[in-house]
Amino acid sequence: MSPGSLFPSALIEPAAARALAGGSWRSIAIDLLGRPPLAAERTAWGARPMAEVVDELCAGPEFWQNWLEEQLYYFLLIDNFRPETEGVTTLPAALAGGKLGVVEALHRICLSSSFDRRNPGPDTFVSVVMEQLLGITVQKVPRELEIGKKLYDGASGKFLGQAGSSQADVVHIAIEDPRAARHFLTREYQRLLRREPEPKALEAEARRLSAEPGAFPALVRDWFASPAYAERLTQRAPLSNRLFVRALFVDLMGRLPEPDEGQRIRSAMDGLADSRPLRALVARLLLDSGKVSLPERAALTDPEAWIGETFERLLGRPLKESERTEFLAAFADPACRPATVLYAIVSHPEYQTW
Amino acid sequence: MRRPERKTKRMLVISLSGGIRSRETFGTPANVPNLMRLAAQGVTYPRTRASNLGHFGATLSIFTGISEARGIRDNARGTDPTLFEYLRKDLGWSAGDVWISTSGGAQESNVSYSLHPEYGSAFGASSLDGDGIFNAEFKGILDAYGKPREMPPAEVALLERMRGSIGGADRALAEEAETSARVERFLLDELERGTQDLNGIGASDAKALKVARNLLAVFRPRFLSVVLRDADVAHSSFNNYVQVIRRNDEMLGQLLDSLRRDRELAETTSILVVPEFGRDADLNSRRGLDHGDGSDDFRYVTMVCAGPDFRRGEVVNEEVRTIDVCSTVCDLLGAEARYARGSRLPRLLS
């Protein structure tokens, strides 16, 4: 174990201690940073133990920026409702610096004016706080909803067993409820490990998070060291539109989209139940824009090696024999450009999973 | 028993979601001349009961025929099959036959199909969110990167050959790719038609209705649904809410006119318009209207149905429910809403 690592030795599985295949690094980077590895990272991480790299990533501001984006999306605080106030935009730095814990960060998000605008009126506001922060089905507890609405309007009452008398109190009380940490950890576990947490472990982790507000990165590291994450690495799931856009830019342009640019494209894709046609359109836009660094066809003296490397990089796996035959035959035709090869891969459903 | 032959071959269902009271529609006919025109040609149900399930849950229940609580910001698909899935599975319709045009962004595309094990994505509707795609900002992306070049047929064939080999050949994927290419073309054309230039209060709904009008012309779907949302501006402004209702009615008028001009569509299309729920009886402290007071203004909305098989100029005062839409549409088109809990609308057929 590397010095300073927060991986508990007892939990380290072989996968956490050894170097991984390229496809796993792609998954880990998308899970933690919301993007595939950059070229320099692919080289640097290749031979390092997973635990060491995960430790490093969880300590950085990019991890927290990605975490914040996931939370804002969860609350649907996107597009016109995206919070731009300092209280929210400074969260990644504050979280990375250990000045704040995740539950307090959620508190700040829910107190933002964007959250209020997104959830106008007492019925909507209190329902969303109860549903999104605590995982409560409000229709099952209509009395609590009614009390919460009274607090929202400035009257005094006991909401979820605690006294309050304002809209802000609705949020304070919900955040301090033990269900808030449990619900947060459940949805983060589902997001990162693609399965339900074990109830006992969840209880212990929720207690730990309440006692140590800055414990979330350590919990993530534990999760990544577990057999459950090793199993998750063997599964593929569809990329969300946000992750797809970021992956596409990194893979084709070698950089992330500008925040505004990424947001606009993601928002357009969100408008389609099946966003594949628009994903394909955006991929073609980029490939035909002249802004993607593409090798000259004539310079590719070993097309098989280039196609194989492209498969490894974009799909995280080696080229299969049948694919090798078809791609090489197609590429032998002068009508096939390097951009055509890239387009075939990034517009295929497999590229849209990780 | 053999199902009677009906003239209805296509249906258009417009969900006036966002919370609209009957007071500002049928109670103020000047706000909605086109809806009144439609009502005069069909059947009106002024006692249509809705449930307080939040916008998303209430809208979803129209399409599933099941009143089920969903979180207001629940950005996930439902577990009950939708109308779209019943139609596609039972009638063997393709994704291009069944569409939904929305105005509410990410959350609403979840209406297009459920996670039900017998149905799901394979039977979902094709969906387009007007405001998500056709906005000036997205057009700006197109301007920044330029339009994609036309791919010569020889290159397309090579592309398909390579793409088809990834992970092993799959015929279903090839068919999907064809639909995908048509949608891709539609998106580019729509951007050129200037849909992104609609702006102001109610612009998202206006785009959804305009997209629906163009979808009808290009894809001629057998089932098209439009889900609107902008009326929810009522929380903070009653005047803006009324403005949204008027603008939607104007766009509805354009959609209906476009349908009427196409003889084949006019003779075979039935239309159903319904809000997901109403709004409170009284103004709030911001001079707006919330939703959730349990009043009749909130719980009862007015539904209108017009089509070649329906009675004309009839008002049915019997209580019906918004969840009856699913069973009624399925019955009309020949599908079975197996899990829906609604009923067929009474006194609808002529």
Side-chain angles (χ1 to χ4, degrees), chain A residues 73 118-120 131 139 255 261 264 268 271-273 276 284-285 288 291 323 326-327 329 337 340 347-348, chain B residues 69 71-73 75 112 127-129 132-133 137 144-146 149 155 161-163 165-167 176 184:
Chain A
Y73 202 88
R118 184 72 178 95
N119 303 298
E131 289 165 355
Q139 287 81 359
R255 66 164 176 89
E261 182 179 47
R264 284 186 262 165
L272 292 154
R276 279 177 294 180
R284 275 182 66 192
L285 277 181
D288 290 348
K291 295 175 182 175
E323 295 163 341
E326 293 299 328
F327 270 71
R337 303 170 298 143
T340 324
S347 62
H348 188 272
Chain B
I72 292 176
R73 301 283 170 248
N75 190 16
S112 58
S127 92
L128 270 183
D129 184 82
I133 300 168
E137 290 78 14
Y145 289 95
R149 67 190 262 281
E155 191 180 353
R161 180 177 181 177
M162 288 187 287
R163 194 158 50 192
S165 76
I166 298 176
E176 279 178 26
E184 193 181 322

Side-chain angles (χ1 to χ4, degrees), chain A residues 73-76 78 80 118-125 127-128 131-132 137 139 145-146 149 152-153 249 253 255 260-262 264-274 276-278 280-282 284-286 288-291 311 315 317 320 322-323 325-327 329-331 333-337 339-341 343-345 347-350, chain B residues 52-55 69-75 77 99-100 102 104-107 109-110 112-113 125-142 144-151 154-156 158-159 161-168 173 176 179-181 183-184 187-188 191 232 235-236 284-286 290-293:
Chain A
Y73 202 88
Y74 170 69
F75 290 109
L76 288 178
I78 51 178
N80 296 335
R118 184 72 178 95
N119 303 298
D123 193 69
T124 304
F125 188 92
S127 296
V128 171
E131 289 165 355
Q132 301 282 95
T137 303
Q139 287 81 359
L145 174 63
E146 289 311 311
K149 284 160 70 173
Y152 177 100
D153 282 332
F249 269 75
M253 316 276 279
R255 66 164 176 89
D260 188 42
E261 182 179 47
R264 284 186 262 165
I265 301 175
R266 191 269 308 140
S267 167
M269 288 176 180
D270 280 349
L272 292 154
D274 177 358
R276 279 177 294 180
L278 194 55
L281 176 64
V282 172
R284 275 182 66 192
L285 277 181
L286 298 186
D288 290 348
S289 67
K291 295 175 182 175
F311 262 71
L315 300 181
R317 66 166 176 84
K320 292 176 186 162
S322 56
E323 295 163 341
T325 307
E326 293 299 328
F327 270 71
F331 198 70
D333 190 314
C336 185
R337 303 170 298 143
T340 324
V341 173
Y343 183 59
I345 298 173
S347 62
H348 188 272
E350 187 177 336
Chain B
N52 186 9
L53 301 167
H55 294 295
R70 306 283 311 174
I72 292 176
R73 301 283 170 248
D74 204 351
N75 190 16
R77 297 186 185 280
W99 279 86
I100 178 169
T102 63
Q107 196 183 25
S109 62
N110 290 315
S112 58
Y113 62 86
S126 303
S127 92
L128 270 183
D129 184 82
D131 202 39
I133 300 168
F134 306 115
N135 54 51
E137 290 78 14
F138 184 68
K139 177 74 167 32
I141 300 285
L142 208 62
Y145 289 95
K147 278 182 68 173
R149 67 190 262 281
E150 282 293 328
M151 209 181 265
E155 191 180 353
V156 172
L158 295 167
L159 170 73
R161 180 177 181 177
M162 288 187 287
R163 194 158 50 192
S165 76
I166 298 176
L173 279 180
E176 279 178 26
T179 308
S180 230
V183 177
E184 193 181 322
L187 297 175
L188 268 176
L191 284 161
D232 204 33
H235 280 294
S236 54
N284 61 27
S285 56
R286 303 174 296 281
D290 296 326
H291 46 79
D293 69 351

Side-chain angles (χ1 to χ4, degrees), chain B residues 289-304:
Chain B
L289 279 172
D290 296 326
H291 46 79
D293 69 351
S295 65
D296 275 7
D297 278 289
F298 172 75
R299 291 190 306 131
Y300 287 95
V301 294
T302 303
M303 173 156 47
V304 176

